[in-house]
Amino acid sequence: MMWHMIATTARKYQSFSARCILVIFGLIYCVVSPSRAMATDTPAEWAKSHIQELVQFYQGLHRAPELSFQEKRTAEKMAAELRAIGAIVTTDVGGHGVVGVLKNGPGVSLLMRADMDALPVSEQTQLPYASQVKVQDEQGAEVGVMHACGHDIHMTSLVGVARYLATHKDQWSGTAIFVFQPAEERGAGARAMLTDPWFARLGTPDYALALHVDSSLATGKVGFRAGFTLANVDSVDVTLKGRGGHGAYPHMTVDPIVQAAYLIVDLQSIVSREIRPTNPAVITVGSIHGGSKHNVIGDECHLQITVRSYSDEVRKHLLEAIRRKANAVAQSCRAPAPVIQVSEGTPALENDVQLVERVTPVFRHVLGPENVVPSEPSMGGEDFSEFGRAGIPIFMFRLGAVDPERLARYKQLGVDPPSLHSALFYPDPVETLQTGVTAMTAAALDLLQPSK
C-alpha cells in the first residue's frame, strides 16, 4: 500500500533526480518501517494467519492459572508482551495490574481491558493442556486452580489486538491503552487500578471495551446489549447470636438456628413484596453454618447471602431490608443484635448506548449480520462496570465460546452445556480466538479512525 503511494507520487515529478530521491526515500521507509508500510491484511485475515501462535499462547496461560491477588507470573507475561510491541508499560497498578500505552499520533484514547485471575476450581476437562495447579487458599486449604471463566481467552484476545495495532499503525491514530486487570473474581481489581495514583495521571479515556466468553453462545458469534447487562453484586454475612445450652432444655437457651430459619423464610418476602416486579432483584442464602452436635444448641449461626440488582435504589433497599429483618428476628427471639457485614460489592454493568450503537454495525460488517445477536440481561456480575462508573463510556460484548456441533450435542442429550465456573467448562479456542481478535480489533480501528 505504502509502496504504491510512493510510486504514484514519483511519476508526478518531471525531474529524473527528484524521482530517484523519492524512490530511495520510499525504499528506506519500507525497510525501516516494514510493519507500517507493508501490513495490509484485515483483522480477520491476520487472526486466521496467526491463530496457531495465539492458541499456543492461550494454552500456556490455561496451564498456569493464578488466583485473585496472586497473578504475579501472569502479569509478568502480559508486561513482556506489551514491551515487545513497543508500548510504554507500567506494572503493579492496583496490585498486579499491568497497563500498556501505545501512542500513534493525535486522536481519541481507547482503553481495552482483559482480566487475569483464575478460580479455586479443580479442572476436570481432561484436556491435554488442563491445569494441574494446586495452591493454598487464604484459609490454608489446598485447592485446585483453573481458568474456568475464560480469562485466558480474554488475555489472549487482547494480546492479539495489541500485536495487530502495533504492526498496522497506518490504519489508526490516537492512543491505545491495554489494561490487564487482577482480581476480577473478587470484585476488587478494577477499583484498585482506578484508585491507583498512576491511573489518575493517565486521564479519562474516551472509550473502553472488553469482551467476555459465553458458554451458551456458539463460536463465531458475538452478543451485544445496550444499557444494564450485568448486575450489582453484594455479599452479605449475617451472624445471628444466641445463648447455647442443652438440646433437651431449649427454654433455657436462645437458639440461633431457629432465628436463622425465621430469617431465611422472611428474606424471601423482600423481593416478592417490597420490590417492584419490573425491577430485577435476587436474594439467595448460599450457606448456613451453625451448631456442632445433635443435642447441643450453639451460641451462633452464620449465613452467607448473595444479593443482586440493577439500579442503585433497589440495591440500597435490598441491603437495608436484610439488616431490618435480621434485627427484627433477633428482637423477636430476645437475642442479642446480629453482626451484619457487606463485602465484595461490584456495581451493575451498564453498556453505553451510543457506543453500542456505533460498534455493533462494525461487528456485523466483519462477522456477518447473522453472527451478531442480542444478549439477554444477566444477574451475574463483572467489575468492568467500575470503568463506566469512573466516567468512561463502556461496552462489554459476549463472545461465543462453544462449537455449534458441541452445543447441538448437549441439546440432543437434554443437558445444558457446562457453565462458566464449572470444572468441566472449556472453550473451543481456535474459533473463539479468531472471532474475539477480529471483533475487538475491528472495533478498535473504528474508534481510533485517523483524523481526516
Side-chain angles (χ1 to χ4, degrees), residues 215-216 402-418:
S215 62
S216 62
V402 182
D403 180 86
E405 292 185 4
R406 190 151 61 101
L407 286 176
R409 180 60 176 163
Y410 288 127
K411 185 175 182 180
Q412 183 181 22
L413 294 172
V415 298
D416 293 326

Side-chain angles (χ1 to χ4, degrees), residues 27-354:
L27 287 170
I28 294 172
Y29 181 90
C30 290
V31 171
V32 173
S33 304
S35 63
R36 179 184 289 270
M38 303 300 291
T40 60
D41 45 352
T42 66
E45 292 168 342
W46 187 93
K48 186 175 182 179
S49 64
H50 291 78
I51 192 60
Q52 292 307 315
E53 64 196 61
L54 290 172
V55 169
Q56 289 175 6
F57 188 84
Y58 156 76
Q59 291 176 347
L61 293 174
H62 191 85
R63 288 191 186 98
E66 294 176 295
L67 292 176
S68 305
F69 303 112
Q70 300 176 24
E71 311 93 337
K72 183 175 185 296
R73 294 190 309 275
T74 305
E76 290 171 351
K77 192 166 187 175
M78 298 304 106
E81 282 293 322
L82 292 174
R83 291 190 184 99
I85 66 164
I88 301 171
V89 178
T90 305
T91 59
D92 302 320
V93 181
H96 291 302
V98 178
V99 181
V101 178
L102 192 63
K103 293 183 178 292
N104 187 36
V108 304
S109 58
L110 170 64
L111 183 151
M112 291 165 281
R113 172 271 209 177
D115 31 14
M116 298 188 292
D117 54 330
L119 288 157
V121 174
S122 296
E123 183 162 358
Q124 299 176 25
T125 63
Q126 305 301 314
L127 292 168
Y129 52 88
S131 169
Q132 304 296 323
V133 174
K134 293 186 181 298
V135 301
Q136 284 192 334
D137 63 13
E138 294 176 350
Q139 287 72 43
E142 185 178 72
V143 295
V145 187
M146 176 190 175
H147 272 300
C149 199
H151 294 186
D152 43 2
I153 288 285
H154 304 172
M155 287 185 280
T156 306
S157 296
L158 189 53
V159 165
V161 175
R163 290 177 180 177
Y164 184 94
L165 293 181
T167 55
H168 295 72
K169 287 188 173 180
D170 61 315
Q171 297 184 20
W172 63 281
S173 180
T175 302
I177 305 165
F178 307 100
V179 173
F180 292 94
Q181 179 206 304
E184 185 278 328
E185 296 294 354
R186 297 288 295 274
R191 188 181 304 123
M193 293 193 76
L194 286 164
T195 56
D196 189 286
W198 183 90
F199 232 96
R201 295 193 295 271
L202 177 68
T204 303
D206 294 288
Y207 308 104
L209 296 176
L211 55 77
H212 202 297
V213 296
D214 189 326
S215 62
S216 62
L217 187 63
T219 52
K221 296 182 181 293
V222 298
F224 70 93
R225 183 176 181 82
F228 284 120
T229 181
L230 291 165
N232 295 308
V233 178
D234 293 291
S235 297
V236 182
D237 288 79
V238 178
T239 303
L240 296 160
K241 302 291 186 177
R243 185 172 68 248
H246 200 295
Y249 316 121
H251 63 287
M252 299 178 66
T253 71
V254 176
D255 194 338
I257 293 180
V258 170
Q259 293 180 62
Y262 282 134
L263 180 58
I264 290 170
V265 173
D266 206 16
L267 290 176
Q268 309 313 307
S269 68
I270 297 174
V271 173
S272 66
R273 290 298 179 267
E274 298 187 26
I275 303 299
R276 186 188 299 272
T278 53
N279 287 337
V282 171
I283 295 177
T284 297
V285 179
S287 170
I288 175 172
H289 293 276
S292 59
K293 197 176 184 297
H294 301 74
N295 60 348
V296 176
I297 293 175
D299 290 320
E300 62 182 37
C301 186
H302 183 211
L303 306 182
Q304 293 179 296
I305 306 168
T306 189
V307 184
R308 309 293 172 113
S309 59
Y310 282 151
S311 74
D312 290 342
E313 293 75 16
V314 171
R315 183 185 199 181
K316 181 180 178 181
H317 186 116
L318 295 174
L319 296 176
E320 184 278 328
I322 291 171
R323 292 187 179 95
R324 168 167 38 87
K325 289 184 177 293
N327 281 297
V329 163
Q331 289 178 1
S332 72
C333 294
R334 298 174 298 157
V339 176
I340 304 169
Q341 296 176 309
V342 179
S343 61
E344 294 190 355
T346 58
L349 193 151
E350 186 176 8
N351 282 330
D352 182 80
V353 174
Q354 291 182 331

